[in-house]
């Protein structure tokens, strides 16, 4: 484990349902201080997906994470006044579809005053596909980013969100068209760090998920010059975790009534696919 990645809590199993639970706050998980929205640390949406893949991998450790689908981001997990959240991740195999695991993430917070009930919230749900490792052949043409703009410009947008070192994965970017964004990202804290915190770490790295999806998020902000919030991820194919830089291409697929839908593809420096994300939807903040 490192200070950039979330991790699951202790596991209990009852009637085929795995439950991982632990206390979460800015001291136990300092990366939260690097993702501040309107003055409050917020658990990143991509990190919720990372926890889903960790849970599925713990349920079926003999297999590898191959994809996700039907991911819904319901409520943000905000941290106020150093109070902790009791995070719970539940996972259960789908009986009708071998290899698919349904995962839900919720939290419980102590009430602000005695005599009141605890505050319960549902943060996300989705399904994770586990399968045998697959060979990844080069499918993409690696791009040259010499002379491209500094990605730090995108981290400054929108102004309501402040990013710290745990999120500074972007290196360079280009915008070849209004509805497209190209970028190269690298492990935060480069070059001494890698995406995978440890060789035997479960799941798919949350930092890598965040770096790739942030390109789509940034295109959403650039397209309308408004703050956006993630809503859902229709599906994603997840391949082997690369060791270094990743190139990302985000394209706007649809826009209607403040909602934008993106297709985001990523590949390593040899052109081998890393992650292909379909139906990544965001909504403009009123």
């Amino acid at each position: 484990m490192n200070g950039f990645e979330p991790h699951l809590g202790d596991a209990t199993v009852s009637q085929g349902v795995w439950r991982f639970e632990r206390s979460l706050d800015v001291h136990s998980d300092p990366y939260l201080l690097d993702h501040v929205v309107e003055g409050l640390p917020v658990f990143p949406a991509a990190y919720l997906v990372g926890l889903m893949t960790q849970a599925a991998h713990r349920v079926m450790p003999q297999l590898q994470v191959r994809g996700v689908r039907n991911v819904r981001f319901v409520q943000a997990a905000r941290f106020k006044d150093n109070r902790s959240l009791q995070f719970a991740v539940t996972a259960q195999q789908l009986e009708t579809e071998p290899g698919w695991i349904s995962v839900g993430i919720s939290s419980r917070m102590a009430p602000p005053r005695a005599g009141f009930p605890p505050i319960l919230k549902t943060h996300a749900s989705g399904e994770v596909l586990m399968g045998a490792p697959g060979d990844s052949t080069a499918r993409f043409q690696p791009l040259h980013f010499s002379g491209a703009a500094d990605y730090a410009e995108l981290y400054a947008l929108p102004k309501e969100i402040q990013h710290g070192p745990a999120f500074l994965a972007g290196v360079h970017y280009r915008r070849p068209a209004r509805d497209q964004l190209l970028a190269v990202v690298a492990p935060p804290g480069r070059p001494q760090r890698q995406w995978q915190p440890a060789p035997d770490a479960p799941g798919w790295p949350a930092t890598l998920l965040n770096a790739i999806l942030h390109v789509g998020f940034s295109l959403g902000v650039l397209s309308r010059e408004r703050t956006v919030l993630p809503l859902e991820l229709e599906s994603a194919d997840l391949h082997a975790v690369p060791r270094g830089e990743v190139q990302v291409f985000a394209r706007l697929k649809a826009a209607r009534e403040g909602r934008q839908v993106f297709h985001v593809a990523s590949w390593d420096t040899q052109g081998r696919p890393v992650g292909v994300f379909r139906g990544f939807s965001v909504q403009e903040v009123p």
Side-chain angles (χ1 to χ4, degrees), residues 239-260:
H239 300 269
V241 177
R243 294 181 60 86
E245 290 188 350
V246 173
Q247 297 185 355
V248 186
F249 172 66
R251 180 177 62 179
L252 178 64
K253 298 287 290 183
R256 182 179 180 184
E257 297 179 351
R259 180 177 177 134
Q260 301 175 73

Side-chain angles (χ1 to χ4, degrees), residues 3-285:
F4 288 41
E5 288 277 338
H7 65 279
L8 297 170
D10 297 330
T12 58
V13 185
S14 176
Q15 297 181 338
V17 178
W18 291 62
R19 183 179 178 88
F20 306 88
E21 192 164 1
R22 63 176 286 248
S23 180
L24 195 74
D25 58 40
V26 296
H27 301 292
S28 64
D29 294 69
Y31 56 81
L32 292 169
L33 295 172
D34 289 345
H35 187 249
V36 176
V37 182
E38 296 182 339
L40 291 179
V42 175
F43 198 87
Y47 277 32
L48 293 171
V49 183
L51 285 180
M52 291 180 188
T53 67
Q54 286 187 34
H57 203 173
R58 290 281 297 275
V59 174
M60 305 181 77
Q62 74 279 14
L63 301 177
Q64 289 190 0
V65 177
R66 301 302 304 273
V68 297
R69 70 181 183 189
N70 300 331
V71 176
R72 303 288 185 267
F73 304 110
V74 183
Q75 290 178 292
R78 301 176 185 273
F79 295 80
K80 185 178 181 181
D81 300 329
N82 292 321
R83 286 190 290 175
S84 63
L85 297 180
Q86 194 69 18
F87 243 52
V89 181
T90 58
Q92 183 177 19
Q93 296 185 45
L94 296 180
E95 296 181 359
T96 57
E97 297 181 271
W100 283 100
I101 297 177
S102 176
V103 186
I105 302 178
S106 60
S107 71
R108 183 176 71 253
M109 178 187 287
R113 291 184 295 275
F116 285 78
I119 301 171
L120 306 176
K121 289 187 177 181
T122 298
H123 300 297
S125 64
E127 297 165 355
V128 181
L129 175 63
M130 303 298 298
D135 294 331
S136 187
T137 58
R139 288 168 36 195
F140 298 91
Q141 179 66 43
L143 305 174
H144 296 287
F145 278 83
S146 57
D150 192 328
Y151 199 88
E153 298 175 13
L154 300 183
Y155 286 123
L157 299 172
K159 295 180 180 179
E160 293 83 358
I161 302 178
Q162 290 80 48
H163 297 96
F167 289 82
L168 302 183
V171 182
H172 300 295
Y173 81 93
R174 285 200 181 104
R175 195 179 182 191
R178 183 174 178 81
D179 62 347
Q180 298 177 6
L181 188 63
L182 286 164
V184 57
V185 299
R190 58 186 183 277
Q192 64 271 26
R193 293 186 182 274
Q194 299 180 12
W195 295 110
Q196 198 78 349
D200 59 347
W204 227 66
T207 49
L208 180 54
L209 286 161
N210 185 73
I212 295 172
L213 290 178
H214 189 272
V215 180
F217 172 87
S218 297
L219 180 56
V221 174
L222 290 170
S223 297
R224 301 298 292 270
E225 298 182 356
R226 296 283 299 275
T227 303
V228 298
L229 294 176
L231 289 180
E232 62 184 34
L233 175 61
E234 181 181 307
S235 67
D237 300 326
L238 303 178
H239 300 269
V241 177
R243 294 181 60 86
E245 290 188 350
V246 173
Q247 297 185 355
V248 186
F249 172 66
R251 180 177 62 179
L252 178 64
K253 298 287 290 183
R256 182 179 180 184
E257 297 179 351
R259 180 177 177 134
Q260 301 175 73
V261 183
F262 301 95
H263 179 91
V264 185
S266 59
W267 56 91
D268 65 13
T269 54
Q270 283 75 49
R272 295 172 299 196
V274 173
V276 178
F277 300 80
R278 307 173 190 86
F280 176 50
S281 301
V282 301
Q283 179 74 41
E284 292 178 17
V285 177

